[in-house]
Amino acid sequence: MRVQFVLQEIWIGLRRNLTMTIALIVTVAIAMALFGTGVLLKMQVDKSNNYWSDKVEVSIYLCNKLSANPNCKKTEPNQSEKDAIRKQLESMPQVAKVVPETAQEAYQRAKEQFKDSPGIAGSIQPGDIPDSFRVKLKDPKNFAAVVAQMSNREGVDQVVNERAILDKFFKILSGLQWAALIIAAIQLIAAVLLVANTIRLSAFNRRRETGIMRLVGASNVYIQLPFVLEGAIAGLVGGVFAAILLSFSKVFLLGRLQKNLQLATPLGWLDVTTVIVASMCFGILLCALASFLTLRRYLKI
Amino acid sequence: MIHFDNVTKVYSHQSRPALQGVNVAVEKGEFVFLVGPSGSGKSTFLRLILKEERPTQGGIHVAGKDLSRLSNWKVPHLRRRIGCVFQDFRLLPNKNVYENVAFALEVIGKPRRFIRKVVPEVIDLVGLEGKAHRMPDELSGGEQQRVAIARAFVNRPMILLADEPTGNIDPATSIGIMKVLDRINRTGTTVVMATHDAAIVDAFRKRVVELEDGRVVRDQSRGVYGQAYGGV
Ligand SMILES: Nc1ncnc2c1ncn2[C@@H]1O[C@H](COP(=O)(O)OP(=O)(O)OP(=O)(O)O)[C@@H](O)[C@H]1O
Ligand SMILES: [Mg+2]
């Protein structure tokens, strides 16, 4: 196998239909980048989901003087009423653990949480957040009974189900993820068609050469290799661009998501690199395979 | 070297056979002219030898190999032992003489040292000394055909097939081309040449196989082109 000869043939092939090659590279790059973004989002969702599912709680806020809920009548339940609520919670089969949090503790925690935003931290007053029970469920999915029993109970202001909030958020994320994957799939189809077309043109442009190669007894591998590598190289270059785009989407899209939404589980560069390498390999293989299959139709051996 | 055993070839979507019950045996070192009117099946005969086409019926042996038993991936190896020349030269216009000849060796993976040694020898053999760096469009038709012959012969094939090699060349130049083919034949290479060129067939007096409507109508050693088409 003469490496230099094969490389030279590839170079000629790529240069002869430069516009097609560029279109191909761009398409592959976009397809791979979207595909990778979809996978990254999915990884992020799964990871966050796992992380959150053992932490989500149902919070039961009790009435106090500031409660807007008319059932509260602006009065705080006394200690025995609070204990009754706690007992009732603890007796429910879905409940794993009940942790009380006093208004003072809640105030401290909120100040801590917003210490980077002095505006918010300063506007919080003790008593803004009432006494509450943080209820840990045995299975976070079985929140309905707890929410139903607690919602209109005397002395209870609000029942906040974190699970429902998270679910809404994850729904948006997985919507994004599916959008990325669907566009990626369409782009991939476009990429395959473009590869087929590029290689067909290339085979047509070089029919003299391949005709002579056939005649003098060049092996099929030797005849096809430059074309298949041509597709693979376009895939590789597209993959490099995709890697750059993916790095951007890690920094800007995921990075921003993590910052703004306080996802406790950032995806590391290792995950991103894995996705990049995987989508690159996938792209190269896809292009090479598309070239190979096209050749079988257009290059009589 | 080449054995056709009752070969019939019918192209797909065609009712009339291109070859019909052809029995021909060409031995090693022979020079054979294949003559006959247009459409009589000469090119088909040559394509069957290369296994570019398969016979509809009958058996073909080339260089001791039964082509019907030769698997597809071995066909390139068969073709390395057969050189081919055509009426239209089929040179690569963007490569010079040397590169055109070297191409045939490069694509079968011959080492560069070997290529550098044999290509100039063959260029000299076909009478193109000093023109190795000319491009095809800087050569006359006769010279281009010499390049094609050099390319066909550079791997020292056992068989050289020529399909109307003098078809695009004037008579005087044709004689020169024939001398090259004769020289190659003298090295022991079997040559089969399809031609319409009566003067050449008559001048060289080699074996003549005549086809008509896909049948062999004459097989004559030291033959002439034939009365029917205005030969001797
Ligand atoms: N690829 C093909 N498909 C269908 N029919 C073909 C094909 N090639 C040749 N034929 C037919 O087979 C017959 C023999 O053709 P062939 O080319 O062998 O003749 P030939 O003797 O070489 O003619 P010429 O002297 O004009 O080159 C013709 O009738 C031709 O139309
Ligand atoms: Mg012909």
Side-chain angles (χ1 to χ4, degrees):
Chain A
M1 192 66 56
R2 299 272 315 275
V3 176
Q4 196 203 341
F5 173 79
V6 173
L7 291 181
Q8 185 185 324
E9 291 295 305
I10 296 169
W11 176 237
I12 293 172
L14 285 174
R15 227 184 24 195
R16 270 202 203 162
N17 38 32
L18 193 62
T19 45
M20 285 295 279
T21 308
I22 291 172
L24 178 57
I25 287 172
V26 171
T27 312
V28 170
I30 294 174
M32 292 296 98
L34 282 171
F35 175 72
T37 304
V39 173
L40 280 180
L41 276 172
K42 171 144 184 59
M43 284 168 85
Q44 178 74 79
V45 168
D46 289 350
K47 222 173 166 181
S48 311
N49 225 340
N50 280 337
Y51 176 84
W52 283 103
S53 56
D54 1 298
K55 292 190 176 52
V56 287
E57 295 166 334
V58 177
S59 298
I60 290 146
Y61 294 97
L62 302 182
C63 293
N64 69 2
K65 296 180 199 73
L66 301 170
S67 298
N69 191 338
N71 291 343
C72 286
K73 305 183 190 86
K74 304 270 184 209
T75 48
E76 198 173 328
N78 62 29
Q79 194 54 47
S80 68
E81 282 168 330
K82 287 181 187 171
D83 288 344
I85 295 172
R86 180 173 184 171
K87 265 223 180 78
Q88 186 185 350
L89 279 171
E90 279 170 344
S91 68
M92 288 184 193
Q94 298 89 348
V95 171
K97 210 169 129 198
V98 179
V99 181
E101 190 181 52
T102 65
Q104 191 57 35
E105 284 164 353
Y107 170 68
Q108 294 299 341
R109 201 161 62 92
K111 269 183 80 159
E112 179 65 21
Q113 197 172 353
F114 292 105
K115 68 171 188 285
D116 294 335
S117 334
I120 300 177
S123 69
I124 302 174
Q125 297 295 322
D128 278 356
I129 308 169
D131 286 7
S132 64
F133 293 111
R134 332 217 106 229
V135 178
K136 187 117 201 64
L137 298 174
K138 284 182 184 136
D139 180 351
K141 285 192 203 83
N142 297 332
F143 54 84
V146 180
V147 173
Q149 287 193 40
M150 281 297 142
S151 281
N152 292 312
R153 197 189 184 286
E154 202 178 326
V156 172
D157 180 357
Q158 263 186 68
V159 178
V160 176
N161 178 18
E162 288 175 351
R163 175 84 202 174
I165 299 171
L166 273 182
D167 274 352
K168 208 176 270 171
F169 167 63
F170 282 132
K171 231 178 227 152
I172 294 170
L173 268 193
S174 78
L176 268 180
Q177 159 206 328
W178 281 112
L181 286 180
I182 288 169
I183 301 172
I186 295 170
Q187 286 281 325
L188 279 183
I189 294 171
V192 167
L193 294 179
L194 264 177
V195 173
N197 218 21
T198 309
I199 296 303
R200 197 167 54 108
L201 256 180
S202 208
F204 182 77
N205 281 337
R206 308 230 318 269
R207 63 196 184 285
R208 269 172 184 278
E209 280 90 341
T210 49
I212 291 165
M213 287 168 97
R214 243 160 42 74
L215 211 61
V216 299
S219 62
N220 294 348
V221 173
Y222 224 102
I223 297 177
Q224 293 179 342
L225 196 65
F227 293 99
V228 173
L229 288 181
E230 196 180 317
I233 285 176
L236 177 70
V237 177
V240 170
F241 283 113
I244 296 169
L245 290 174
L246 272 176
S247 306
F248 274 114
S249 73
K250 143 86 178 145
V251 172
F252 292 107
L253 181 64
L254 293 179
R256 206 146 281 174
L257 276 178
Q258 281 155 11
K259 236 207 194 121
N260 293 355
L261 298 161
Q262 299 190 327
L263 290 175
T265 44
L267 280 183
W269 278 106
L270 182 67
D271 295 311
V272 178
T273 312
T274 310
V275 169
I276 286 175
V277 170
S279 56
M280 248 169 144
C281 293
F282 180 62
I284 293 169
L285 274 180
L286 193 81
C287 288
L289 193 71
S291 315
F292 180 71
L293 293 178
T294 313
L295 282 182
R296 298 184 69 92
R297 279 187 58 197
Y298 293 102
L299 202 68
K300 190 185 154 203
I301 298 298
Chain B
M1 185 64 36
I2 301 169
H3 289 259
F4 273 54
D5 183 16
N6 204 15
V7 170
T8 296
K9 171 69 189 175
V10 186
Y11 284 105
S12 50
H13 313 297
Q14 211 108 52
S15 51
R16 204 175 58 86
L19 285 180
Q20 227 178 129
V22 170
N23 286 293
V24 173
V26 179
E27 299 312 324
K28 183 166 167 32
E30 269 194 288
F31 194 119
V32 179
F33 283 119
L34 203 56
V35 303
S38 222
S40 57
K42 304 183 291 295
S43 299
T44 302
F45 185 91
L46 298 181
R47 278 207 291 275
L48 284 168
I49 297 173
L50 284 167
K51 210 179 173 192
E52 281 209 64
E53 298 286 351
R54 276 133 228 264
T56 313
Q57 259 171 48
I60 301 172
H61 286 75
V62 175
K65 297 231 159 49
D66 181 348
L67 294 196
S68 65
R69 288 158 182 259
L70 194 70
S71 58
N72 272 347
W73 63 272
K74 277 189 177 157
V75 169
H77 291 270
L78 170 77
R79 293 187 184 150
R80 286 178 199 186
R81 322 195 72 181
I82 305 175
C84 279
V85 182
F86 299 91
Q87 184 172 0
D88 56 0
F89 320 138
R90 301 195 188 175
L91 300 180
L92 298 173
N94 53 347
K95 291 190 193 292
N96 67 26
V97 170
Y98 179 93
E99 290 163 344
N100 260 288
V101 177
F103 185 79
L105 295 177
E106 280 169 347
V107 299
I108 57 172
K110 292 282 183 197
R112 193 192 298 252
R113 275 219 332 272
F114 175 79
I115 295 176
R116 269 207 282 266
K117 182 174 157 299
V118 299
V119 172
E121 285 172 12
V122 157
I123 290 176
D124 288 352
L125 177 86
V126 298
L128 289 173
E129 45 286 271
K131 294 180 176 152
H133 297 290
R134 296 266 196 100
M135 299 304 280
D137 59 9
E138 299 165 349
L139 297 172
S140 71
E143 288 167 333
Q144 288 185 47
Q145 192 60 290
R146 285 168 193 257
V147 179
I149 294 171
R151 182 178 65 194
F153 189 61
V154 70
N155 196 29
R156 306 282 157 164
M158 306 163 79
I159 302 170
L160 188 77
L161 305 178
D163 198 351
E164 303 186 37
T166 59
N168 281 341
I169 294 164
D170 70 67
T173 316
S174 295
I175 299 290
I177 296 291
M178 287 313 297
K179 288 206 170 122
V180 174
L181 290 179
D182 192 40
R183 202 179 301 159
I184 284 171
N185 178 233
R186 280 172 207 278
T187 66
T189 304
T190 309
V191 179
V192 179
M193 170 172 159
T195 186
H196 288 291
D197 197 329
I200 280 173
V201 177
D202 293 346
F204 274 79
R205 287 295 177 137
K206 302 283 189 183
R207 178 176 168 192
V208 174
V209 173
E210 184 177 338
L211 290 170
E212 210 178 306
D213 286 334
R215 292 174 194 280
V216 177
V217 293
R218 176 164 63 111
D219 188 345
Q220 184 180 21
S221 54
R222 302 184 59 75
V224 292
Y225 187 71
Q227 288 79 2
Y229 331 105
V232 177

